[in-house]
Amino acid sequence: MIIGSVRCELLIYDVHSLKEKRSVLKSLQTRLKHRFNLAVAETNFQDVWQRAELSIVTVSNQKVICERELERALKFIDIESEAERTLTTYEWL
């Protein structure tokens, strides 16, 4: 069993409060969970309103499948979200 995770920092430019940030992140998390069947959570910068860190996790019996699913999720973030992805870190267990 392979567990693949990716942490990505996001900059959200068009928000002016924590409430607006939460709205953007909640929408993004929901779409990622439903579209790709991944576990997604905000893991850092909860009190900063233009910055966020999302952790995305998937499990498979092959590393290639985990890599493909995580890459699809990151591409979705880059195309479909209101946030700009900056720093991205992969981890494998």
Side-chain angles (χ1 to χ4, degrees):
M1 175 175 66
I2 303 295
I3 302 170
S5 71
V6 64
R7 288 187 331 212
C8 55
E9 288 188 22
L10 303 171
L11 294 176
I12 310 168
Y13 296 112
D14 293 334
V15 297
H16 303 290
S17 68
L18 287 173
K19 188 174 182 178
E20 289 178 11
K21 173 191 170 185
R22 298 273 184 266
S23 174
V24 169
L25 288 179
K26 183 75 169 171
S27 171
L28 179 58
Q29 289 175 327
T30 301
R31 289 183 292 157
L32 284 168
K33 289 176 184 179
H34 288 266
R35 180 167 286 182
F36 301 107
N37 195 24
L38 301 166
V40 183
E42 181 183 5
T43 53
N44 205 350
F45 310 115
Q46 285 89 351
D47 295 331
V48 182
W49 52 273
Q50 285 189 322
R51 190 173 178 194
E53 179 181 85
L54 286 183
S55 293
I56 305 168
V57 179
T58 187
V59 178
S60 180
N61 58 349
Q62 296 178 1
K63 185 177 179 181
V64 174
I65 295 171
C66 285
E67 287 175 338
R68 183 176 56 224
E69 290 301 311
L70 292 174
E71 284 299 320
R72 287 176 58 208
L74 292 175
K75 188 179 289 187
F76 179 81
I77 291 171
D78 291 340
I79 293 171
E80 297 288 329
S81 77
E82 300 173 34
E84 176 186 348
R85 183 167 55 99
T86 57
L87 181 65
T88 304
T89 307
Y90 290 88
E91 292 183 35
W92 305 100
L93 301 173

